[in-house]
Amino acid sequence: MQPIPLQPSSNKLILGDFKPAGGFPNPCEDHLGKSISLDSLLIKRPSSTFLFTLEGDSMSPTLTDGSIIVVDRSAKVATGRIVLATIAGEFIVKEIELKKDKALFKSVNPLYPTIEIEIDKDNDWENNVVWGVVTGSVKVF
C-alpha cells in the first residue's frame, strides 16, 4: 500500500454559526458563518498527512467501514490515540495503550481481541510498527 500525498484544495465551504440539533429543526438555519477549507480543518501538517479508506468493523462505532481516515506520520504517539500500524505485515487501525514493556493495540468493537506487542531491544515498535496517528475521519454516505 503506497500512500499518495495530499494535494491542497482551493474550495472553501461555509461553516454555519450554529450547531444544528440532530432531531429537530433549528430556527437559526438562515445564519451562515465564515468560509472554511476542509484542508485547514483536517490537515495540520500536509507534508506528513495521508488519507486511507478504512475497511472492516473493528473500530466501530468510532470509525466505520468505508470511512476515510486522516493519518499524520509526524503526530506524537501516546496512550489513547488511534494509530495506523503494521503488525505481522498487515496494516491495522487500533487505539494504542503504552505500557513500560509492551504496547497494546485495542479495537473499539469488543468482538476483536487486543493485540499485545512486547517492547524490547529486538522490537523497536515505534519505528517499525506504528505508521502514523489517526487525526480525523470523514464518513461519506
PDB file of all heavy atoms in Angstrom, residues 44-45 47-50 71-77 131-133:
ATOM      1  N   LYS A  44      -3.150  19.404   9.567  1.00  0.00           N
ATOM      2  CA  LYS A  44      -2.256  20.354  10.243  1.00  0.00           C
ATOM      3  C   LYS A  44      -0.879  20.383   9.591  1.00  0.00           C
ATOM      4  O   LYS A  44      -0.232  21.404   9.526  1.00  0.00           O
ATOM      5  CB  LYS A  44      -2.118  20.004  11.734  1.00  0.00           C
ATOM      6  CG  LYS A  44      -3.428  19.936  12.474  1.00  0.00           C
ATOM      7  CD  LYS A  44      -4.159  21.262  12.464  1.00  0.00           C
ATOM      8  CE  LYS A  44      -5.467  21.142  13.218  1.00  0.00           C
ATOM      9  NZ  LYS A  44      -6.576  21.784  12.588  1.00  0.00           N
ATOM     10  N   ARG A  45      -0.387  19.227   9.136  1.00  0.00           N
ATOM     11  CA  ARG A  45       0.938  19.113   8.524  1.00  0.00           C
ATOM     12  C   ARG A  45       0.806  18.364   7.189  1.00  0.00           C
ATOM     13  O   ARG A  45       0.936  17.145   7.145  1.00  0.00           O
ATOM     14  CB  ARG A  45       1.880  18.379   9.482  1.00  0.00           C
ATOM     15  CG  ARG A  45       2.204  19.187  10.741  1.00  0.00           C
ATOM     16  CD  ARG A  45       2.995  18.371  11.745  1.00  0.00           C
ATOM     17  NE  ARG A  45       2.176  17.403  12.470  1.00  0.00           N
ATOM     18  CZ  ARG A  45       1.422  17.691  13.525  1.00  0.00           C
ATOM     19  NH1 ARG A  45       1.383  18.906  13.998  1.00  0.00           N
ATOM     20  NH2 ARG A  45       0.719  16.760  14.128  1.00  0.00           N
ATOM     21  N   SER A  47       2.668  17.831   4.602  1.00  0.00           N
ATOM     22  CA  SER A  47       3.756  17.001   4.084  1.00  0.00           C
ATOM     23  C   SER A  47       3.829  15.627   4.760  1.00  0.00           C
ATOM     24  O   SER A  47       4.453  14.716   4.227  1.00  0.00           O
ATOM     25  CB  SER A  47       5.096  17.719   4.231  1.00  0.00           C
ATOM     26  OG  SER A  47       5.390  17.919   5.592  1.00  0.00           O
ATOM     27  N   SER A  48       3.176  15.477   5.919  1.00  0.00           N
ATOM     28  CA  SER A  48       3.225  14.194   6.609  1.00  0.00           C
ATOM     29  C   SER A  48       1.832  13.588   6.799  1.00  0.00           C
ATOM     30  O   SER A  48       1.657  12.684   7.602  1.00  0.00           O
ATOM     31  CB  SER A  48       3.909  14.352   7.971  1.00  0.00           C
ATOM     32  OG  SER A  48       3.172  15.229   8.797  1.00  0.00           O
ATOM     33  N   THR A  49       0.842  14.080   6.057  1.00  0.00           N
ATOM     34  CA  THR A  49      -0.535  13.620   6.215  1.00  0.00           C
ATOM     35  C   THR A  49      -0.996  12.861   4.980  1.00  0.00           C
ATOM     36  O   THR A  49      -0.745  13.283   3.850  1.00  0.00           O
ATOM     37  CB  THR A  49      -1.469  14.816   6.490  1.00  0.00           C
ATOM     38  OG1 THR A  49      -1.027  15.487   7.666  1.00  0.00           O
ATOM     39  CG2 THR A  49      -2.901  14.359   6.693  1.00  0.00           C
ATOM     40  N   PHE A  50      -1.683  11.750   5.225  1.00  0.00           N
ATOM     41  CA  PHE A  50      -2.162  10.870   4.169  1.00  0.00           C
ATOM     42  C   PHE A  50      -3.591  10.438   4.477  1.00  0.00           C
ATOM     43  O   PHE A  50      -4.006  10.449   5.629  1.00  0.00           O
ATOM     44  CB  PHE A  50      -1.261   9.631   4.056  1.00  0.00           C
ATOM     45  CG  PHE A  50       0.169   9.981   3.772  1.00  0.00           C
ATOM     46  CD1 PHE A  50       1.059  10.260   4.801  1.00  0.00           C
ATOM     47  CD2 PHE A  50       0.624  10.057   2.469  1.00  0.00           C
ATOM     48  CE1 PHE A  50       2.376  10.604   4.532  1.00  0.00           C
ATOM     49  CE2 PHE A  50       1.940  10.396   2.192  1.00  0.00           C
ATOM     50  CZ  PHE A  50       2.810  10.675   3.229  1.00  0.00           C
ATOM     51  N   VAL A  71      -4.349  10.426   8.443  1.00  0.00           N
ATOM     52  CA  VAL A  71      -3.236   9.882   9.226  1.00  0.00           C
ATOM     53  C   VAL A  71      -2.043  10.826   9.122  1.00  0.00           C
ATOM     54  O   VAL A  71      -1.591  11.149   8.028  1.00  0.00           O
ATOM     55  CB  VAL A  71      -2.836   8.473   8.731  1.00  0.00           C
ATOM     56  CG1 VAL A  71      -1.669   7.922   9.531  1.00  0.00           C
ATOM     57  CG2 VAL A  71      -4.032   7.525   8.789  1.00  0.00           C
ATOM     58  N   ASP A  72      -1.546  11.258  10.282  1.00  0.00           N
ATOM     59  CA  ASP A  72      -0.384  12.156  10.343  1.00  0.00           C
ATOM     60  C   ASP A  72       0.810  11.356  10.843  1.00  0.00           C
ATOM     61  O   ASP A  72       0.817  10.868  11.979  1.00  0.00           O
ATOM     62  CB  ASP A  72      -0.683  13.330  11.276  1.00  0.00           C
ATOM     63  CG  ASP A  72       0.403  14.391  11.276  1.00  0.00           C
ATOM     64  OD1 ASP A  72       1.556  14.083  10.872  1.00  0.00           O
ATOM     65  OD2 ASP A  72       0.120  15.520  11.697  1.00  0.00           O
ATOM     66  N   ARG A  73       1.812  11.227  10.000  1.00  0.00           N
ATOM     67  CA  ARG A  73       3.017  10.456  10.356  1.00  0.00           C
ATOM     68  C   ARG A  73       3.887  11.182  11.364  1.00  0.00           C
ATOM     69  O   ARG A  73       4.745  10.562  12.002  1.00  0.00           O
ATOM     70  CB  ARG A  73       3.836  10.151   9.105  1.00  0.00           C
ATOM     71  CG  ARG A  73       3.066   9.215   8.173  1.00  0.00           C
ATOM     72  CD  ARG A  73       3.954   8.442   7.299  1.00  0.00           C
ATOM     73  NE  ARG A  73       4.695   7.455   8.088  1.00  0.00           N
ATOM     74  CZ  ARG A  73       5.645   6.698   7.594  1.00  0.00           C
ATOM     75  NH1 ARG A  73       5.976   6.804   6.339  1.00  0.00           N
ATOM     76  NH2 ARG A  73       6.266   5.837   8.343  1.00  0.00           N
ATOM     77  N   SER A  74       3.716  12.495  11.530  1.00  0.00           N
ATOM     78  CA  SER A  74       4.573  13.249  12.448  1.00  0.00           C
ATOM     79  C   SER A  74       3.919  13.493  13.806  1.00  0.00           C
ATOM     80  O   SER A  74       4.559  14.030  14.698  1.00  0.00           O
ATOM     81  CB  SER A  74       4.965  14.588  11.821  1.00  0.00           C
ATOM     82  OG  SER A  74       3.840  15.431  11.691  1.00  0.00           O
ATOM     83  N   ALA A  75       2.668  13.098  13.986  1.00  0.00           N
ATOM     84  CA  ALA A  75       1.979  13.302  15.264  1.00  0.00           C
ATOM     85  C   ALA A  75       2.560  12.378  16.330  1.00  0.00           C
ATOM     86  O   ALA A  75       3.002  11.259  16.031  1.00  0.00           O
ATOM     87  CB  ALA A  75       0.484  13.061  15.102  1.00  0.00           C
ATOM     88  N   LYS A  76       2.546  12.836  17.559  1.00  0.00           N
ATOM     89  CA  LYS A  76       3.108  12.076  18.677  1.00  0.00           C
ATOM     90  C   LYS A  76       2.216  10.880  19.027  1.00  0.00           C
ATOM     91  O   LYS A  76       1.010  11.019  19.201  1.00  0.00           O
ATOM     92  CB  LYS A  76       3.257  12.983  19.896  1.00  0.00           C
ATOM     93  CG  LYS A  76       3.851  12.309  21.114  1.00  0.00           C
ATOM     94  CD  LYS A  76       4.063  13.326  22.217  1.00  0.00           C
ATOM     95  CE  LYS A  76       4.437  12.733  23.538  1.00  0.00           C
ATOM     96  NZ  LYS A  76       5.426  11.761  23.614  1.00  0.00           N
ATOM     97  N   VAL A  77       2.841   9.719  19.137  1.00  0.00           N
ATOM     98  CA  VAL A  77       2.137   8.508  19.557  1.00  0.00           C
ATOM     99  C   VAL A  77       2.013   8.557  21.074  1.00  0.00           C
ATOM    100  O   VAL A  77       3.001   8.761  21.776  1.00  0.00           O
ATOM    101  CB  VAL A  77       2.919   7.245  19.128  1.00  0.00           C
ATOM    102  CG1 VAL A  77       2.239   5.994  19.649  1.00  0.00           C
ATOM    103  CG2 VAL A  77       3.069   7.202  17.617  1.00  0.00           C
ATOM    104  N   TRP A 131       2.768   3.394  12.116  1.00  0.00           N
ATOM    105  CA  TRP A 131       2.985   4.134  10.873  1.00  0.00           C
ATOM    106  C   TRP A 131       2.605   5.595  11.037  1.00  0.00           C
ATOM    107  O   TRP A 131       3.245   6.478  10.497  1.00  0.00           O
ATOM    108  CB  TRP A 131       2.173   3.481   9.760  1.00  0.00           C
ATOM    109  CG  TRP A 131       2.601   3.874   8.394  1.00  0.00           C
ATOM    110  CD1 TRP A 131       3.569   3.267   7.644  1.00  0.00           C
ATOM    111  CD2 TRP A 131       2.119   4.954   7.609  1.00  0.00           C
ATOM    112  NE1 TRP A 131       3.700   3.917   6.431  1.00  0.00           N
ATOM    113  CE2 TRP A 131       2.817   4.954   6.392  1.00  0.00           C
ATOM    114  CE3 TRP A 131       1.144   5.937   7.815  1.00  0.00           C
ATOM    115  CZ2 TRP A 131       2.585   5.875   5.390  1.00  0.00           C
ATOM    116  CZ3 TRP A 131       0.908   6.864   6.810  1.00  0.00           C
ATOM    117  CH2 TRP A 131       1.631   6.823   5.615  1.00  0.00           C
ATOM    118  N   GLY A 132       1.539   5.875  11.771  1.00  0.00           N
ATOM    119  CA  GLY A 132       1.094   7.246  11.983  1.00  0.00           C
ATOM    120  C   GLY A 132      -0.100   7.290  12.919  1.00  0.00           C
ATOM    121  O   GLY A 132      -0.641   6.261  13.311  1.00  0.00           O
ATOM    122  N   VAL A 133      -0.505   8.503  13.274  1.00  0.00           N
ATOM    123  CA  VAL A 133      -1.617   8.721  14.192  1.00  0.00           C
ATOM    124  C   VAL A 133      -2.834   9.183  13.391  1.00  0.00           C
ATOM    125  O   VAL A 133      -2.726  10.073  12.541  1.00  0.00           O
ATOM    126  CB  VAL A 133      -1.243   9.773  15.262  1.00  0.00           C
ATOM    127  CG1 VAL A 133      -2.438  10.117  16.144  1.00  0.00           C
ATOM    128  CG2 VAL A 133      -0.076   9.270  16.117  1.00  0.00           C
TER     129      VAL A 133
END
